[in-house]
Amino acid sequence: TVWPVCFITSKTSWVVKPWRFTPFICSERSNEHLRPGQYICKSPIINDATQEPENCKDLIAWVECLPAPNISCLLPNGTKYKFSGDEVGFNKSVPCRNVSVYSYKVAVALSLFLGWLGADRFYLGYPALGLLKFCTVGFCGIGSLVDFMLISMQIVGPSDGSDYIVDYYGARLVRLAITNETYRRTQISP
């Protein structure tokens, strides 16, 4: 792998930045070498049915980013390429989710209005629990209330392990977890 140098031009000096580069477009898959404001990324194209980026593969989608004008990259052959602000410089990863046909709005509405009949559990693919809720009238109402809270907090999801379809710019739940593999930074006291 060749690591040429990318420069940010200004009237007074050149700032050297490391950069991976292929002819005429930077192939850097992250933006760690450019500061915010030195590039702009296009919005992903959202699929209307799944509310996820159209090019989502392995829970990652890629969007094109354009470096700001006057950013120059030094190619492996020694020539410099200066961006005008209209060329794609690199691709940035955007997280996406594995979704199927289960809508979050439908699941919450079924749980709220027909949860006592088990319609929410039937919809999410849990027929045994749905039948049990139907026969016990939602566990005398207590089970319906608990299921409504669990579904609205996205703790109970579809039985196939996929995520709910939620509007792309809507209220999504992101679960954070700390495991033994979690990187822990040492705290620096002031």
Side-chain angles (χ1 to χ4, degrees):
T1 303
V2 178
W3 291 91
V5 177
C6 196
F7 298 99
I8 301 169
T9 61
S10 67
K11 294 181 180 178
T12 56
S13 64
W14 293 79
V15 179
V16 179
K17 298 278 184 181
W19 199 280
R20 202 182 305 178
F21 198 83
T22 58
F24 297 103
I25 57 171
C26 294
S27 63
E28 184 66 37
R29 294 280 183 179
S30 68
N31 60 342
E32 63 190 34
H33 301 297
L34 289 178
R35 296 185 190 116
Q38 293 177 333
Y39 66 93
I40 187 167
C41 295
K42 296 179 180 178
S43 296
I45 299 171
I46 305 300
N47 185 333
D48 289 333
T50 63
Q51 289 295 309
E52 291 296 320
E54 286 187 352
N55 60 352
C56 180
K57 290 184 182 177
D58 299 325
L59 304 178
I60 294 176
W62 297 97
V63 294
E64 296 176 338
C65 296
L66 302 113
N70 297 329
I71 292 184
S72 300
C73 287
L74 186 63
L75 299 175
N77 62 6
T79 60
K80 284 187 265 184
Y81 182 76
K82 187 174 183 179
F83 287 97
S84 66
D86 297 326
E87 305 95 347
V88 175
F90 60 94
N91 293 323
K92 181 180 176 185
S93 65
V94 176
C96 55
R97 301 172 312 131
N98 173 29
V99 296
S100 57
V101 296
Y102 300 102
S103 170
Y104 174 69
K105 292 177 183 177
V106 171
V108 169
L110 284 173
S111 182
L112 180 63
F113 298 113
L114 297 174
W116 58 277
L117 293 174
D120 53 350
R121 291 295 186 150
F122 281 114
Y123 174 72
L124 292 175
Y126 301 101
L129 287 173
L131 186 62
L132 187 63
K133 279 179 72 175
F134 178 76
C135 292
T136 60
V137 189
F139 303 114
C140 298
I142 297 171
S144 298
L145 179 63
V146 169
D147 266 356
F148 174 70
M149 291 188 315
L150 292 176
I151 290 172
S152 63
M153 290 188 296
Q154 299 179 20
I155 294 173
V156 171
S159 63
D160 62 359
S162 65
D163 291 320
Y164 289 112
I165 296 175
V166 180
D167 292 338
Y168 186 73
Y169 296 106
R172 294 176 181 230
L173 179 70
V174 178
R175 290 187 178 90
L176 300 177
I178 296 176
T179 63
N180 289 337
E181 287 79 30
T182 304
Y183 175 73
R184 295 177 188 247
R185 256 169 84 170
T186 57
Q187 184 174 354
I188 301 172
S189 59

